[in-house]
Amino acid sequence: MNFINSAPRPVVGGTPTSQASKGPYLELSMYKEVPTGEISLEEFEEYALDRLRVLKAIEEAKLRSKSEDTIQADVETLLKKHMQGSSRQQTYRKDVLSHHILRLAYCRTADLRSWLLAQEALLFKFRFKALGRQQQVEFFSSMGLPYHAISDAEFEELAGQLAAVLNACGEWDKAKAVTSSSRRGDTHGLQDIGRSGGAAAAAVASRPLFYKVPFQAVPDLVGSRRVLLRAGQAYVGEDQVYSLVVGAFRSCLSASLAEAARAWGAFSAAEADRLAPLVDSLPSRSVYGSDNRKVPVGEISAGQLAGLVAGRNFPLCMSVMYERLASEHHLKHWGLQQFTLFLKSIGLPLEQALLFFRQQFAPRTPGDKFNKEYVYSVLYNYGLALNSSYLLLFVVCRTPGDKFNKEYAYNVRYNYGQEGKRQDWSEWSCVKIINQEVGGACAGAGECNGGCPYKTYSAEQLRAALSRLNCNDKVIREVVDKARGKHYQLACGLAFEGITGSPQETGINKPSEYYASSIELATQRAAAAAGANGAGEQQGQQQQQQGQQAGGGAVQPQQQEGPPQTPAGQRAVAAGTPA
Amino acid sequence: METATERQDAKRAKTEHQAAEGAEPMAVDDAVQQKDAAPPEQQQQTGPSMRFLMTQYYKKLFPVQQMFKWLCYGNDSSHAAADGSFSSRRELCFTLEGDIFVRYQSYKSWTDLATDLARKVPSKIDIGPVYTHDPRQRAKYAKDFKPVQRELVIDIDMTDYDELRTCGSGGHICSRCWPFIAVAIQVLDTALREDFGFQHILWVYSGRRGVHCWVADEGARLLADDVRASVVGYLSVIRGVEGGMAKLGMGMVKHPALERAERLLRSAWRQHLLPEQCLLDEPQHYNALLQYIPDEELRSSLAAKWAKGGQGIVPGGNRRASAAAAAAGDSVSLSVRRWDELEKAVKEQASRLPSGKAAKALEKSLDDIIFAYSYPRLDVEVTKKMNHLLKAPFCVHPKTGKVCVPIDPEAAWDFDPDDVPTVQQLVQEINEQQQDAGASPQQQQQAAGAEGWRGTSLEPYIAAFASSFLSPLAASSKAALNERAQAAAAEQRTQRADVSW
């Protein structure tokens, strides 16, 4: 834990465990030694986020129940993309440092610890499995675990059952290898050796090794019946030693995390001004910032919003807030914040946003109140200073000058590049929305305060909300399951599939990505329908017009607005739309 | 770390399975259970009240000394390596009248426990884990208060067989559905001994519709939660039930453990399950079973043939009569004959199939049926967590009055849940003894002391508990203590050697 402050030393991150070995990922480490040396703050943050990108991608792949082989390939790509340095030394340094930084960042609560433990163990497993057989055996023996390969006699005795286990796992080739090498033990086999000495000797050398270990050491293999068990001992094949190695890694890391948790207090006190806030924020950071996808829509107008909502193009979090706003003419501060930034990110210009909110709030809010409470916040989100011309349109500031200066001026100056770097506020990511505190006295706390409905809604509420969006019943069940499992973003992705009838492949990390996918799909379908038959062209235009018409504020009945499942469905919709 | 989510999980698991008696610390749930259970097994309203009976039971019948000795694992002895705090770190949970749960009880000695039992008269006792500290003082230790050991437990509940059994459902249990349990005990007991190497295994009838298994080896008691889950994974084959069919987690080739299970299941299948459950007598039952056969034509031809065949040799499928008929050899029960027909038809059809793969798949469907119908169905949540409570042996089931007696796994087939002594019966036996002896009641009571169960129909069960579970366990507990003492002595020697240097 003290690697940050310790005196600089020549070698950063220690030396790779196995100098002799080649290949890109050989420097697999148990991370037992705490690295020493200097690291810049930028690197510190970048390394941590890069490793998080890898870990979160693995977690997601696992949650989507991708096959082991696919994830294995994914991991290789991910490591190349995020973790490779300019040299082997650099790669190793980054690996070790980033691991230790995350260890620190994820040590404080039991939830964080178990998350990091699970993901790091997975990463370690895939990296270990990527090693060649020889290297695996070397690494395994270098760990000094107290396990021994079984003797020839024991192998002979158990060969039949060992082969049966392999067959039951579908490992036909390995089973064959076991049966064929067991036969050489009998007299028949000896004669064979006499006849063709060389080949038989080779077979002897390559007899599959099995390690005899207490079953407690390999729970994953036991739980899936992939080992032979006899009297409490599991017979672990040489290509299964990853389970032992990962087990040792897990317990090692688990102990280190507990230790880090104890040391956290001292660390955060010593680093209160420098590293502690940074480390503290890591678990809640979005790791997708660097390569966000572009929302492929141009400017939209305030009047189009109703049509877009009715067309089920908004993610659930936004459509519930829209409905709330439309029916109650009210949103609380954080809800408004989340919603405005979303509208901004999908291309609603400032004057349209002000128009929209003015319309929405108008029925209940007197002009003054609207100006005072909401215009400011809208302007703020759009990154405009209060002294811009909009102030002249809406008399915002009834706040006495002093109070304004004291409470808001810093933020405004910050917004406008007079404090820190100039920043145009961007949309809230799903991570931020999920972590948003939405509690409160307000009855519809979720709608008022924003947040992620997959997290804040009860199963019944979620079911009701999704069926209002004509989501497929089977999918609703899956969505509720995912939400209950706390996989909110996956739930959202599934809901997309249930609502539009088409899978969402890229994942949803921001509400606007849901919107973008939905619009993209609609455009594609319109184009496909247009190409499907001669009359299609006109319908395609109708479809486009419909989108624009919706801009006029005419809300179409929902059942007619349902995104078409097939070109045939498309025609039905087009026909059902009044010209 | 008994978190709210954990409890919720347990609760959910429970409502999903309509699960086990005993395992659940939520008073609300048990109240629900009571409603479900009431009709078939009304407790005897005539005669003395349950409260009176239970008072008598704890005073004279409950083998409190033996139970306490078990849960101490030799730490109650004066052995040098004995851990004196062991028994006071073990949680017991009492259920008092009105389904009030009193958790985190612990006792230093069997006399303390006996006194408290006589005072509180719990309708149920649950056994929890051994913690790092005395559970009564858990608040003081907050985060450091954790479970450190607990027997590996398995719970089998007859309700999980409801869609299979033809004799009843819910809280029902009878000698006709006992074969499901008996074969489950056989399969699991063998696997626990041969594969996991456990030796100290106690099987207990839960008093109503299930059985519990307690594995008391030190290795089993120390298993971490993830390893407990892996044991469950190893022992489970049925991954759920969908559309009336069990989803089986096994491929074309079986793991040796399942091969062995299959041998046990197959013999039980023809000898007990088919004749006693009459699984192929009635259309609704054989149609459900035929679902597992992937060949549509075969299914419908057999169903059509059987539909014409009418009733079985023994109408209504009375167990004793049917079994007797089978034993006599003059006739085989209808279900067994039909099974033989099915087996023959499947094999013939398979031999006609051009592709070897399809033939194998068809033949495997026979195995699938046997596994789906008779492989043990575990209430997995009970096993997975070290801190799950489970009802103690020798409790009285509050609804049936039956005592939770041990079952000899070797003789599981001969066990009859209807023969289990009830608290009513036992108290009556004691009263009769006293009258026979003619001694003054006071004297009698003193003479009986803590072992009033002698001479009652509870005695054989307690004797079996002591001889086949407690004494081997005491021997290995002692061996473990000796080992610990030696290790400590060796440690001391090295330390002393260090000092002298």
Side-chain angles (χ1 to χ4, degrees):
Chain A
M1 290 313 98
N2 60 356
F3 64 92
I4 309 301
N5 287 327
S6 55
R9 288 189 201 165
V11 181
V12 175
T15 47
T17 25
S18 161
Q19 290 281 19
S21 45
K22 305 275 177 283
Y25 308 116
L26 284 185
E27 295 85 351
L28 192 55
S29 171
M30 295 290 282
Y31 309 105
K32 280 190 175 162
E33 283 162 37
V34 176
T36 55
E38 281 187 356
I39 178 173
S40 71
L41 279 175
E42 287 74 22
E43 267 185 323
F44 187 92
E45 184 173 4
E46 180 201 320
Y47 283 11
L49 288 176
D50 278 345
R51 194 180 190 88
L52 272 181
R53 290 190 177 102
V54 176
L55 297 180
K56 291 201 171 172
I58 296 176
E59 181 194 25
E60 193 176 321
K62 200 81 186 162
L63 290 172
R64 286 168 173 243
S65 350
K66 287 194 183 177
S67 76
E68 288 276 296
D69 292 345
T70 321
I71 305 180
Q72 184 84 55
D74 285 358
V75 168
E76 198 153 323
T77 335
L78 284 166
L79 287 174
K80 270 206 185 102
K81 187 173 165 199
H82 298 296
M83 297 301 290
Q84 199 150 27
S86 52
S87 67
R88 281 160 48 82
Q89 280 286 351
Q90 282 297 314
T91 309
Y92 183 74
R93 175 177 182 265
K94 185 169 180 179
D95 178 39
V96 171
L97 284 174
S98 60
H99 171 88
H100 281 280
I101 297 167
L102 291 191
R103 205 189 259 193
L104 199 53
Y106 280 77
C107 72
R108 276 160 304 138
T109 68
D111 281 351
L112 289 176
R113 284 197 295 272
S114 74
W115 184 86
L116 189 71
L117 192 57
Q119 311 316 325
E120 281 283 348
L122 271 178
L123 174 62
F124 186 87
K125 178 176 106 176
F126 287 114
R127 289 177 67 187
F128 183 80
K129 285 175 107 175
L131 299 177
R133 173 180 160 175
Q134 191 56 38
Q135 291 149 342
Q136 285 192 354
V137 172
E138 264 172 36
F139 192 94
F140 176 63
S141 28
S142 79
M143 289 171 71
L145 295 171
Y147 307 129
H148 299 290
I150 55 172
S151 68
D152 283 350
E154 195 165 8
F155 176 76
E156 289 300 327
E157 187 202 333
L158 296 175
Q161 294 197 52
L162 291 169
V165 174
L166 288 167
N167 275 327
C169 299
E171 306 268 17
W172 318 110
D173 294 341
K174 285 174 194 155
K176 232 173 255 167
V178 169
T179 10
S180 62
S181 39
S182 82
R183 260 186 243 117
R184 82 196 146 71
D186 57 30
T187 45
H188 202 72
L190 286 176
Q191 283 167 2
D192 278 348
I193 291 174
R195 250 178 282 155
S196 54
V204 173
S206 68
R207 159 166 93 69
L209 292 177
F210 285 88
Y211 297 88
K212 190 169 163 180
V213 310
F215 78 91
Q216 292 94 328
V218 284
D220 57 329
L221 299 179
V222 171
S224 50
R225 277 196 297 269
R226 275 180 291 150
V227 280
L228 178 67
L229 272 191
R230 280 207 352 171
Q233 301 290 315
Y235 292 81
V236 176
E238 57 191 335
D239 57 334
Q240 292 175 321
V241 292
Y242 71 85
S243 178
L244 289 165
V245 177
V246 174
F249 175 79
R250 271 189 80 105
S251 46
C252 197
L253 179 56
S254 175
S256 306
L257 280 169
E259 191 189 315
R262 278 194 292 277
W264 171 259
F267 170 82
S268 72
E271 290 285 342
D273 300 329
R274 206 169 56 131
L275 285 176
L278 175 59
V279 169
D280 204 37
S281 72
L282 279 171
S284 55
R285 288 277 285 275
S286 165
V287 294
Y288 303 100
S290 62
D291 53 346
N292 55 1
R293 271 154 280 155
K294 197 91 185 102
V295 179
V297 280
E299 282 200 354
I300 53 172
S301 66
Q304 278 174 297
L305 291 177
L308 290 167
V309 174
R312 303 181 298 170
N313 293 307
F314 279 15
L316 190 60
C317 55
M318 297 305 166
S319 68
V320 296
M321 268 200 284
Y322 179 90
E323 279 164 23
R324 180 88 189 172
L325 189 58
S327 63
E328 303 287 319
H329 311 292
H330 168 68
L331 278 185
K332 289 207 166 180
H333 175 71
W334 292 115
L336 188 67
Q337 203 75 351
Q338 180 182 332
F339 193 50
T340 320
L341 287 170
F342 167 73
L343 293 180
K344 182 180 152 198
S345 77
I346 64 168
L348 188 72
L350 175 62
E351 59 274 31
Q352 290 291 325
L354 289 171
L355 185 65
F356 170 74
F357 283 114
R358 191 168 181 79
Q359 280 169 355
Q360 293 303 324
F361 288 121
R364 206 170 79 172
T365 325
D368 270 0
K369 192 175 175 215
F370 170 73
N371 284 342
K372 202 160 84 182
E373 293 184 6
Y374 298 114
V375 173
Y376 171 75
S377 132
V378 170
L379 285 171
Y380 179 83
N381 285 332
Y382 275 80
L384 292 174
L386 290 172
N387 59 4
S388 77
S389 57
Y390 296 102
L391 271 183
L392 303 174
L393 290 171
F394 308 99
V395 186
V396 171
C397 192
R398 292 257 170 120
T399 326
D402 263 3
K403 194 182 169 204
F404 173 77
N405 280 332
K406 223 161 50 190
E407 293 183 12
Y408 303 111
Y410 174 82
N411 279 342
V412 175
R413 280 204 302 278
Y414 181 84
N415 260 345
Y416 275 83
Q418 287 159 39
E419 298 275 352
K421 55 184 171 185
R422 182 184 172 119
Q423 180 150 2
D424 191 10
W425 291 104
S426 59
E427 178 192 7
W428 285 11
S429 68
C430 289
V431 175
K432 183 167 168 64
I433 292 175
I434 288 166
N435 290 327
Q436 183 65 27
E437 195 64 53
V438 295
C442 175
E447 290 95 335
C448 281
N449 263 329
C452 175
Y454 297 101
K455 181 181 179 187
T456 59
Y457 275 26
S458 70
E460 287 71 36
Q461 280 178 303
L462 202 51
R463 259 181 229 120
L466 287 170
S467 40
R468 276 201 298 279
L469 293 173
N470 289 350
C471 183
N472 171 328
D473 281 346
K474 183 166 166 281
V475 177
I476 291 183
R477 274 198 296 280
E478 289 174 37
V479 170
V480 172
D481 274 356
K482 280 273 184 278
R484 193 155 56 179
K486 300 188 179 171
H487 307 307
Y488 310 118
Q489 283 165 263
L490 291 179
C492 189
L494 266 176
F496 180 94
E497 192 173 337
I499 291 168
T500 63
S502 166
Q504 212 282 348
E505 301 283 5
T506 49
I508 293 162
N509 300 305
K510 291 177 176 183
S512 66
E513 289 174 8
Y514 182 104
Y515 172 79
S517 300
S518 174
I519 294 292
E520 199 177 359
L521 189 67
T523 320
Q524 274 170 15
R525 279 177 174 161
N533 56 27
E537 201 178 322
Q538 203 192 339
Q539 283 157 3
Q541 282 168 359
Q542 269 186 357
Q543 178 76 11
Q544 278 173 2
Q545 277 169 8
Q546 182 191 325
Q548 282 156 13
Q549 272 172 7
V555 180
Q556 309 290 341
Q558 270 203 18
Q559 57 270 37
Q560 290 185 2
E561 287 283 339
Q565 308 278 329
T566 59
Q570 180 89 48
R571 283 195 293 280
V573 170
T577 310
Chain B
M1 293 284 283
E2 169 76 33
T3 62
T5 34
E6 223 165 79
R7 252 176 281 135
Q8 266 170 8
D9 282 351
K11 194 169 169 186
R12 197 182 311 134
K14 178 149 193 169
T15 36
E16 273 165 15
H17 295 118
Q18 295 222 325
E21 317 92 321
E24 176 55 43
M26 299 290 290
V28 213
D29 275 18
D30 237 54
V32 175
Q33 252 181 25
Q34 225 168 19
K35 241 189 288 164
D36 291 348
E41 306 133 342
Q42 282 288 343
Q43 65 184 51
Q44 294 182 0
Q45 290 303 335
T46 54
S49 76
M50 199 64 178
R51 164 108 196 164
F52 171 80
L53 290 171
M54 289 309 293
T55 313
Q56 295 292 306
Y57 182 76
Y58 285 123
K59 235 186 220 166
K60 298 172 184 168
L61 292 154
F62 183 71
V64 58
Q65 257 180 293
Q66 284 81 354
M67 286 292 291
F68 197 83
K69 186 174 162 54
W70 163 32
L71 295 175
C72 281
Y73 296 103
N75 287 300
D76 52 342
S77 66
S78 53
H79 196 286
D83 172 359
S85 74
F86 191 87
S87 71
S88 54
R89 289 187 283 124
R90 162 83 75 169
E91 174 184 0
L92 295 182
C93 168
F94 291 169
T95 307
L96 305 184
E97 247 173 313
D99 283 326
I100 300 159
F101 280 79
V102 190
R103 288 203 60 183
Y104 301 117
Q105 304 299 296
S106 65
Y107 300 93
K108 278 204 176 65
S109 67
W110 74 266
T111 43
D112 287 359
L113 174 59
T115 318
D116 211 29
L117 285 175
R119 199 163 56 85
K120 292 191 174 139
V121 198
S123 50
K124 194 176 95 185
I125 307 168
D126 282 301
I127 298 178
V130 177
Y131 293 94
T132 44
H133 304 96
D134 184 341
R136 290 175 189 268
Q137 297 170 358
R138 66 197 177 284
K140 198 161 109 193
Y141 298 100
K143 273 188 181 165
D144 293 331
F145 180 73
K146 280 182 221 140
V148 288
Q149 63 165 285
R150 151 56 185 264
E151 294 73 14
L152 176 73
V153 291
I154 296 175
D155 180 13
I156 304 172
D157 197 308
M158 224 36 243
T159 46
D160 287 331
Y161 292 83
D162 274 356
E163 93 255 14
L164 305 176
R165 49 188 182 154
T166 58
C167 51
S169 66
H172 165 91
I173 195 164
C174 68
S175 53
R176 279 185 59 211
C177 49
W178 185 256
F180 285 118
I181 299 281
V183 75
I185 292 178
Q186 262 196 315
V187 168
L188 295 175
D189 194 69
T190 319
L192 288 170
R193 285 177 205 275
E194 291 184 4
D195 297 351
F196 290 96
F198 295 133
Q199 290 164 3
H200 305 290
I201 302 173
L202 177 69
W203 287 93
V204 184
Y205 172 54
S206 78
R208 187 150 159 245
R209 54 175 181 197
V211 287
H212 298 157
C213 171
W214 297 80
V215 185
D217 296 61
E218 187 167 23
R221 282 182 273 138
L222 294 174
L223 292 179
D225 283 352
D226 62 328
V227 186
R228 285 170 200 256
S230 83
V231 174
V232 171
Y234 185 85
L235 295 175
S236 307
V237 168
I238 293 156
R239 302 272 187 240
V241 179
E242 212 169 68
M245 277 172 76
K247 285 187 289 181
L248 298 174
M250 66 180 191
M252 294 294 282
V253 186
K254 287 189 203 73
H255 188 279
L258 298 187
E259 290 273 1
R260 182 188 55 212
E262 192 195 336
R263 288 193 292 278
L264 294 169
L265 297 181
R266 273 194 181 272
S267 77
W269 183 246
R270 275 187 108 261
Q271 277 177 30
H272 298 280
L273 284 162
L274 280 175
E276 286 166 28
Q277 277 287 309
C278 307
L279 292 169
L280 295 175
D281 285 14
E282 305 289 336
Q284 80 262 32
H285 300 141
Y286 63 65
N287 283 330
L289 185 142
L290 285 174
Q291 273 190 84
Y292 288 89
I293 307 289
D295 190 314
E296 165 75 54
E297 212 178 303
L298 199 60
R299 271 204 310 263
S300 43
S301 75
L302 280 168
K305 189 176 166 199
W306 293 348
K308 272 186 274 171
Q311 285 298 304
I313 290 174
V314 189
N318 178 287
R319 176 202 182 187
R320 307 282 180 208
S322 172
D330 54 296
S331 59
V332 180
S333 101
L334 178 64
S335 283
V336 174
R337 273 191 291 126
R338 286 184 170 170
W339 174 257
D340 291 342
E341 272 173 41
L342 169 66
E343 215 167 16
K344 200 169 145 226
V346 164
K347 282 187 179 147
E348 275 172 11
Q349 180 68 16
S351 67
R352 277 197 293 273
L353 284 175
S355 109
K357 215 175 170 186
K360 267 191 191 150
L362 185 55
E363 284 194 37
K364 179 178 178 275
S365 64
L366 292 172
D367 286 0
D368 284 354
I369 292 174
I370 292 180
F371 271 84
Y373 274 74
S374 58
Y375 192 86
R377 300 186 166 202
L378 314 183
D379 187 350
V380 295
E381 297 307 321
V382 177
T383 310
K384 282 181 181 169
K385 292 256 189 231
M386 198 186 256
N387 62 357
H388 209 298
L389 300 172
L390 189 67
K391 188 164 59 173
F394 294 107
C395 272
V396 171
H397 194 286
K399 316 293 185 309
T400 60
K402 286 182 190 169
V403 180
C404 306
V405 292
I407 301 166
D408 176 5
E410 301 284 320
W413 289 107
D414 307 325
F415 187 89
D416 187 339
D418 293 331
D419 291 347
V420 169
T422 64
V423 65
Q424 293 87 354
Q425 176 194 338
L426 289 169
V427 169
Q428 201 180 344
E429 286 177 21
I430 288 196
N431 290 339
E432 282 164 9
Q433 273 179 17
Q434 283 177 356
Q435 280 159 10
D436 291 349
S440 79
Q442 197 133 34
Q443 243 180 335
Q444 184 65 35
Q445 214 162 10
Q446 272 168 359
E451 301 211 324
W453 45 264
R454 290 202 187 276
T456 67
S457 36
L458 194 57
E459 180 171 359
Y461 294 102
I462 295 176
F465 175 71
S467 67
S468 52
F469 181 67
L470 273 191
S471 27
L473 189 59
S476 64
S477 295
K478 193 168 178 199
L481 287 175
N482 285 340
E483 216 169 278
R484 213 181 299 160
Q486 270 165 16
E491 177 88 350
Q492 255 178 3
R493 269 198 299 280
T494 47
Q495 272 174 9
R496 227 175 286 143
D498 286 347
V499 172
S500 67
W501 272 110

